Amino acid sequence: CKEFGFLIYLFIFMKLIGAGIIAIEKESGKILLGRRGLDGQDPNCWAPFGGTFDKKDIIPRTTAVREFIEETKCSEKFLMEKEPFYICEDNHVKFYSYIGIFEKIFIPTLNSENLEYGWFNIDLLPENLHPGSKELFENEYIKIRKYIKKIKTL
């Protein structure tokens, strides 16, 4: 009976932690998004690549890198900020979004979690964005545009 009470406590008070990378190609400023598969949460929606925190990750930044590489098979080197660019939180999930700067556009090799990918201009993002991604791009649009302009000069 105590175990059941603890499980209820965890269900009520613990949040799922996730993290991902907003991949931006330096020269064009395009953003890499994946269209989520039909079997997962929010199917057929576009979002930056990312996923769920694993105990071995220790910090969300590690989760972001691990999930990005798992889902894209990316072998390209990239720069990544130490601190999250944006944190989206609701009653059940706390999601950390980091920016990754890539020297060139690469072609991801997708795993089964995504149906397709695309490199998008910040002004021409797909309409069917994942709800958290939509919040991110709407709330931080100006900040992202400034960031893209800044990295083009590096």
Side-chain angles (χ1 to χ4, degrees), residues 17 52-59 63 66 70:
I17 302 294
T52 308
F53 181 82
D54 203 344
K55 287 180 186 177
K56 68 181 177 191
D57 292 335
I58 302 171
I59 58 172
T63 302
R66 179 183 53 76
E70 276 179 17

Side-chain angles (χ1 to χ4, degrees), residues 6-149:
F6 180 70
L7 290 174
I8 291 173
Y9 172 83
L10 285 176
F11 180 76
I12 293 172
F13 296 106
M14 298 295 285
K15 289 187 179 192
L16 183 65
I17 302 294
I21 294 177
I22 305 163
I24 302 174
E25 191 270 332
K26 186 177 172 180
E27 187 176 321
S28 69
K30 289 188 175 181
I31 297 170
L32 176 64
L33 301 176
R35 187 165 62 92
R36 298 166 72 125
L38 301 177
D39 295 331
Q41 284 186 319
D42 300 302
N44 208 34
C45 290
W46 291 88
F49 292 94
T52 308
F53 181 82
D54 203 344
K55 287 180 186 177
K56 68 181 177 191
D57 292 335
I58 302 171
I59 58 172
R61 188 176 190 274
T62 307
T63 302
V65 172
R66 179 183 53 76
E67 286 284 347
F68 185 84
I69 292 171
E70 276 179 17
E71 293 183 16
T72 65
K73 305 292 186 265
C74 176
S75 60
E76 300 291 324
K77 292 186 181 197
F78 60 96
L79 300 174
M80 189 170 142
E81 298 285 340
K82 288 184 180 180
E83 298 299 320
F85 176 78
Y86 188 75
I87 300 172
C88 177
E89 186 170 6
D90 64 19
N91 292 334
H92 306 290
V93 179
K94 187 169 187 176
F95 197 89
Y96 297 79
S97 295
Y98 295 83
I99 289 185
I101 304 168
F102 291 77
E103 287 294 323
K104 61 182 179 177
I105 287 178
F106 68 92
I107 298 171
T109 301
L110 302 179
N111 67 9
S112 61
E113 295 180 42
N114 292 282
L115 301 172
E116 65 179 314
Y117 74 92
W119 287 91
F120 298 93
N121 183 296
I122 185 70
D123 296 312
L124 299 171
L125 296 175
E127 287 187 24
N128 57 327
L129 287 172
H130 175 278
S133 299
K134 184 175 182 177
E135 176 186 313
L136 161 70
F137 290 119
E138 286 177 355
N139 292 350
E140 301 299 330
Y141 173 80
I142 292 171
K143 191 174 169 184
I144 293 170
R145 285 198 49 91
K146 286 180 182 177
Y147 199 95
I148 290 169
K149 187 175 182 179

